[in-house]
Amino acid sequence: MPRLLLKFNAAVIKEIQIGADSLAVGRKADNDIVIDNPAVSGHHCRISMQGGAYFVEDIESTNGTFVNGKRVKKSGLHNNDVVGLAKHALVFLEDAPPSAPAPQPTGKDRAGWLRVLKGVVGAAEYELKGMSTYIGKSDRVQVTIKGSGLFGSAPEVAASIHRKPEGFVLVAVTDGYPVVNGSKVSGSVLLNEGDLIECGATTMQFELRDSA
């Protein structure tokens, strides 16, 4: 089970098991994690699970929420990431799942790719490596996009794609922002080869390729 280490400067104050899909963090007593420090806002940030991954989202705090020293509005969390709140910190620890026997390779095992058709910001192609790939304008995402006149600036994290037993699943981190085949996505959608994904002014095509 994922957990958080609440630290003040370098000292660990306590360990918190993440047993709920959402945890509110702040100075007021109605938060799930209460940090009694005047530099921490009454309702400072929220840590939540979305589409099988954990995120931290700032709730318009006065002094900001930081991940590994960088101020964020919303950011995906990975093992050992440090969420900074004034002189306090929450270290996100995700236990590795028990190892399972390696599946026997089959001709159906194929790699997922995103090919950028319009609005290239970084690379023109991205292999969906690992279990999760994040899309947005943050420098912590793997696929960088740009906004449009309709949406303005692109979100820090607009969407994520997760490799699951049933295939590649796109999750709308910013609800309704990603568009798949002309339809706005709320929640998640299973991707099929050739699907068109629009995020702001960036259009990508999902492809399956034989693994090298």
Side-chain angles (χ1 to χ4, degrees), residues 89-112:
L90 289 166
V91 182
F92 178 75
L93 298 175
E94 193 167 21
D95 295 330
S99 57
Q104 295 298 315
T106 71
K108 295 181 180 179
D109 291 333
R110 304 174 73 189

Side-chain angles (χ1 to χ4, degrees), residues 1-36:
M1 177 182 293
R3 62 193 191 278
L4 299 166
L5 295 182
L6 176 59
K7 301 176 69 174
F8 179 73
N9 290 330
V12 176
I13 300 173
K14 64 178 176 179
E15 180 176 313
I16 303 155
Q17 298 290 332
I18 304 179
D21 288 342
S22 179
L23 294 175
V25 183
R27 193 181 66 256
K28 293 187 176 181
D30 60 348
N31 288 283
D32 299 297
I33 301 175
V34 178
I35 300 177
D36 187 13

Side-chain angles (χ1 to χ4, degrees), residues 2-150:
R3 62 193 191 278
L4 299 166
L5 295 182
L6 176 59
K7 301 176 69 174
F8 179 73
N9 290 330
V12 176
I13 300 173
K14 64 178 176 179
E15 180 176 313
I16 303 155
Q17 298 290 332
I18 304 179
D21 288 342
S22 179
L23 294 175
V25 183
R27 193 181 66 256
K28 293 187 176 181
D30 60 348
N31 288 283
D32 299 297
I33 301 175
V34 178
I35 300 177
D36 187 13
N37 186 315
V40 175
S41 296
H43 298 102
H44 198 104
C45 66
R46 179 177 291 106
I47 295 173
S48 60
M49 174 184 276
Q50 299 177 29
Y54 282 92
F55 294 83
V56 60
E57 182 175 8
D58 184 75
I59 312 176
E60 298 183 0
S61 65
T62 301
N63 294 314
T65 300
F66 297 78
V67 174
N68 300 332
K70 296 180 180 181
R71 188 164 184 166
V72 300
K73 177 63 179 175
K74 187 171 187 176
S75 175
L77 291 176
H78 305 83
N79 191 42
N80 287 320
D81 277 351
V82 179
V83 179
L85 305 93
K87 292 186 178 181
H88 285 76
L90 289 166
V91 182
F92 178 75
L93 298 175
E94 193 167 21
D95 295 330
S99 57
Q104 295 298 315
T106 71
K108 295 181 180 179
D109 291 333
R110 304 174 73 189
W113 286 76
L114 290 179
R115 183 162 58 92
V116 182
L117 304 179
K118 184 176 70 174
V120 177
V121 176
E125 290 187 334
Y126 298 89
E127 184 178 2
L128 303 178
K129 298 179 179 179
M131 300 305 293
S132 301
T133 301
Y134 295 92
I135 302 169
K137 73 170 185 181
S138 168
D139 56 7
R140 288 175 51 79
V141 303
Q142 289 79 36
V143 181
T144 307
I145 61 172
K146 61 182 177 180
S148 66
L150 176 61

Side-chain angles (χ1 to χ4, degrees), residues 138-191:
S138 168
D139 56 7
R140 288 175 51 79
V141 303
Q142 289 79 36
V143 181
T144 307
I145 61 172
K146 61 182 177 180
S148 66
L150 176 61
F151 293 101
S153 179
E156 292 289 315
V157 184
S160 56
I161 297 176
H162 306 274
R163 183 161 198 164
K164 298 189 176 184
E166 64 268 29
F168 290 87
V169 176
L170 181 140
V171 176
V173 177
T174 299
D175 200 45
Y177 190 90
V179 176
V180 175
N181 298 331
S183 299
K184 292 183 178 180
V185 177
S186 296
S188 62
V189 62
L190 180 65
L191 293 174

